[in-house]
Amino acid sequence: MLHPGAGAPSRCWPVERYAAVAETLRARGLRVVVTGGADEGDLVARLAKAARLPDTDVFGGGLPYAKLSALVAGARAVVSGDTGIAHLAVAHAAPSVTLFGPVPPSRWARPRTPAPRPVAPRAGRRPARPADRPALLRITADEVLDALDALSETP
């Protein structure tokens, strides 16, 4: 499950990179679904088009909470930015990869349930302004795929 949106643009990873992750996962024979919030229909549609996802796997425009929660709970893995869906994944103990940029993973509240596998830039400073996202932009699609692979290796 990919969730490309976030409440703040500084927490959004580029759609093209989500699409690259989706294409690789589909080439591995995995189903990829995309979700988005109420105001993220266009964002989800761009990702779906770039990754050539079937309409049946695209849930833009905000699912009712119960359906979104069930989708997260049943996901093999959830990939998102540091946003609400990442917390929902942890609440369901769903394997997750959370992309961090303007806020470091160390500032994320660590629940007692399994924490997400954080993916953050390996080096560099935090951006001077929250609207800047160079740290998040340093994360590659390959790093996200590596983190997903590591999830499947974790007992």
Side-chain angles (χ1 to χ4, degrees), residues 90-91 108-116:
V90 169
W108 211 72
R110 295 291 177 179
R112 294 186 189 269
T113 58

Side-chain angles (χ1 to χ4, degrees), residues 74-147:
R76 184 175 183 164
V78 176
V79 178
S80 72
D82 175 19
T83 190
I85 201 82
H87 296 278
L88 185 58
V90 169
H92 281 295
S96 60
V97 173
T98 304
L99 309 175
F100 290 89
V103 177
S106 61
R107 298 217 21 219
W108 211 72
R110 295 291 177 179
R112 294 186 189 269
T113 58
R117 178 168 296 280
V119 178
R122 291 195 171 93
R125 294 183 182 184
R126 287 183 55 198
R129 296 176 293 149
D132 295 337
R133 56 181 185 156
L136 188 62
L137 294 177
R138 287 197 303 268
I139 299 170
T140 67
D142 285 339
E143 288 174 307
V144 171
L145 290 163
D146 289 346

